[in-house]
Amino acid sequence: MSESIRFVDLIQSRIDGFFDARASILVSIADELSPIAAFSRDFLSGGKRFRALFCFWGWQAVRTAGDEPGEDAAVTAGGPLDAVVSVASALELFHAAALVHDDLIDNSDTRRGAPSAHRRFERLHDQEGWQGSGAAFGTGAATLLGDYLLILSDELFDEGLTQTVSAAARRSARAEFNRMRLDVTAGQYLDIFEEIGWAGRPDADQLARAERVIVYKSAKYSIESPLLIGASLAGATVGQLDALRRFGLPLGIAYQLRDDLLGVFGDAEVTGKPSGDDLREGKRTVLIALTRQAVPAGARATLDELLGDPDLTPQQIQTLQMTIRDSGAVEKVERMIADNVASAIEALDEAPIGPAARAQLRELAVTVTRRAS
C-alpha cells in the first residue's frame, strides 16, 4: 500500500502546516492560549488515518474507474490531489474533535495510551497552582478544544472544496459532510441515552437499539461517509455512490463490532485504553445485548448491576468478561463481523470502480476489521 503510505504522509504535512498557521493566530491573541495549540497538535500526530484513507480510495475508485486492471493509480502532489488531501485532513480533525468530546462524555482518563484532553488540562491547572477546581477547568477547556477542532475541520474542508473544479462535486461532498456530522451527533446521543434508558425498554428491543447506535455513531462516519466524500470529489455517478454505500456501511458495522470487542477484551498496552473500559462506562453494545439474551436471570441481574460502575475492580472486570465469553456472545459477534465483511466485499466486487482502488479497499477491509487496537 505504498500509495496509502504516501497519502498519510501528505495528510500529516497538511495538518502540521494548518496548525502552524492557526497557532500563530491563537498566540497573537494571548500566550495563555498556547496549550490549545499544543494539545491540538498532539491529538493529530500519528494515528491510523482510516477515515482519510477511505476518503482517498473513494476518490481513486471513481477517478480510475475506466482504467484497465494492473494500471498504475499513482498520483503526485498538486492539482486535484490537493483538494483530497485537505478534505481528508478535515475528516481527521473532525475525528479528533469527536474523540475529545467522547472522552468527556465517558469521563475517560486515557486516549491512545496518554491522558485524555480534559485530564491534560486538569494536570496543567494543578501544575500551575491556579485557583478553583482543576477538574472543572479540565472539562471546560477540553470542551473548547473539541469545539476549536470542529471549527478548524470545517475551515479545512472548505479549503479543499475551493480546490475542486466541479460545482456539482462541491455540493455533493459538502452535503455528505453535513449529513455525516448530523448522524454522528445523533448516534452519540443515542449511545449515552441507552446507558440510562435501557431499563425502561423491552429486552427484545435492545439488540436492535444497539445496532442502531453502531450505524449512526460509528459505521457511517468511520467508513461510509469518508468513502462517499472522496468519491463525490471525483465526480461519482449515482450508481458509484450507491455501490460504495453498499460496501461502506456493512464494513463500518464490522469495524465498530471489532471495536466493541476490544473495548471489553483488548490489551491495554495495545489499545491505549484500560482493559474492560466499556464495562466501566456502561456501554450497551451489541456484545452486551447478545450476552443478556443468552444468560440466565441471575447472571443477567449481576451484569446489569455491575455494568457502568466506574469503580469496578479487576476481579469484577474478569467476572464480567467470563460471563460474556461463556454466554457465546463473542462468537456471535465474530460471526456478525464476518458476515458484514462478506457483504461488503460482495458489493465491492460488483462496484463500477477502478481495479487498483478495488484491491486497496479490499485490503483496507481486512485491516480495519482484524485490528488489535
Side-chain angles (χ1 to χ4, degrees):
M1 297 185 71
S2 59
E3 280 299 295
S4 292
I5 294 170
R6 286 196 288 271
F7 186 72
V8 167
D9 289 342
L10 290 173
I11 291 293
Q12 191 63 58
S13 178
R14 184 70 181 96
I15 289 172
D16 288 343
F18 191 72
F19 275 152
D20 285 344
R22 295 331 178 262
S24 65
I25 295 173
L26 285 178
V27 176
S28 73
I29 297 171
D31 289 340
E32 290 85 352
L33 291 168
S34 59
I36 294 285
F39 293 169
S40 296
R41 184 181 292 276
D42 287 349
F43 273 93
L44 270 297
S45 296
K48 303 179 187 70
R49 306 296 193 210
F50 286 147
R51 289 156 189 83
L53 286 170
F54 278 108
C55 181
F56 173 66
W57 287 111
W59 177 71
Q60 284 279 47
V62 173
R63 191 185 73 86
T64 62
D67 289 354
E68 294 296 325
E71 286 193 24
D72 187 4
V75 293
T76 56
L81 181 62
D82 285 349
V84 184
V85 170
S86 292
V87 165
S89 297
L91 293 176
E92 291 296 315
L93 264 65
F94 179 84
H95 179 51
L99 294 181
V100 170
H101 285 158
D102 194 49
D103 286 342
L104 273 171
I105 291 169
D106 294 335
N107 199 31
S108 296
D109 293 330
T110 59
R111 170 63 61 181
R112 295 172 179 165
S116 51
H118 59 286
R119 296 303 183 210
R120 291 190 186 198
F121 282 112
E122 183 177 344
R123 179 182 297 176
L124 177 64
H125 175 282
D126 294 343
Q127 289 172 343
E128 297 295 331
W130 292 331
Q131 294 183 350
S133 164
F137 174 75
T139 296
T143 300
L144 294 171
L145 173 64
D147 292 346
Y148 173 70
L149 291 171
L150 286 174
I151 292 167
L152 295 191
S153 171
D154 200 62
E155 183 179 343
L156 189 50
F157 192 89
D158 276 345
E159 284 192 15
L161 292 188
T162 62
Q163 299 166 305
T164 303
V165 175
S166 166
R170 291 196 294 271
R171 287 193 299 271
S172 180
R174 168 52 80 173
E176 187 59 43
F177 185 63
N178 290 345
R179 180 57 191 262
M180 176 194 76
R181 294 184 298 178
L182 188 153
D183 284 343
V184 74
T185 302
Q188 181 68 272
Y189 179 85
L190 291 173
D191 186 37
I192 63 174
F193 176 81
E194 290 303 324
E195 293 175 23
I196 54 93
W198 65 270
R201 308 288 174 173
D203 284 351
D205 293 346
Q206 289 188 17
L207 178 58
R209 297 173 70 86
E211 290 173 332
R212 182 178 63 178
V213 170
I214 279 183
V215 168
Y216 288 98
K217 182 185 176 184
S218 180
K220 285 179 171 290
Y221 122 88
S222 296
I223 295 178
E224 183 191 60
S225 291
L227 270 173
L228 298 180
I229 289 168
S232 295
L233 291 175
T237 65
V238 172
Q240 287 170 323
L241 292 174
D242 285 345
L244 290 173
R245 281 192 185 92
R246 291 194 296 274
F247 166 69
L249 184 57
L251 185 61
I253 291 170
Y255 170 86
Q256 184 56 43
L257 288 171
R258 175 63 62 205
D259 208 54
D260 291 345
L261 287 173
L262 293 172
V264 173
F265 299 105
D267 182 347
E269 294 295 322
V270 178
T271 65
K273 301 280 279 186
S275 181
D277 215 33
D278 279 5
L279 300 175
R280 294 186 182 91
E281 293 169 8
K283 297 295 184 185
R284 291 282 161 174
T285 62
V286 166
L287 182 66
I288 295 301
L290 290 171
T291 300
R292 293 186 79 258
Q293 287 180 352
V295 298
R300 189 183 310 124
T302 300
L303 174 66
D304 291 339
E305 179 183 354
L306 293 177
L307 196 66
D309 182 353
D311 298 319
L312 285 176
T313 66
Q315 182 58 48
Q316 288 172 319
I317 291 287
Q318 290 177 7
T319 297
L320 288 173
Q321 289 172 330
M322 186 179 300
T323 298
I324 293 167
R325 284 193 185 280
D326 291 348
S327 73
V330 173
E331 288 79 5
K332 291 177 182 177
V333 169
E334 290 286 4
R335 285 197 296 274
M336 291 175 70
I337 291 172
D339 289 345
N340 275 286
V341 171
S343 295
I345 296 301
E346 181 180 357
L348 183 66
D349 288 342
E350 298 172 353
I353 61 175
R358 190 195 320 276
Q360 295 293 341
L361 286 171
R362 179 186 280 271
E363 188 171 338
L364 267 175
V366 174
T367 300
V368 301
T369 56
R370 294 185 183 177
R371 69 194 195 283
S373 67

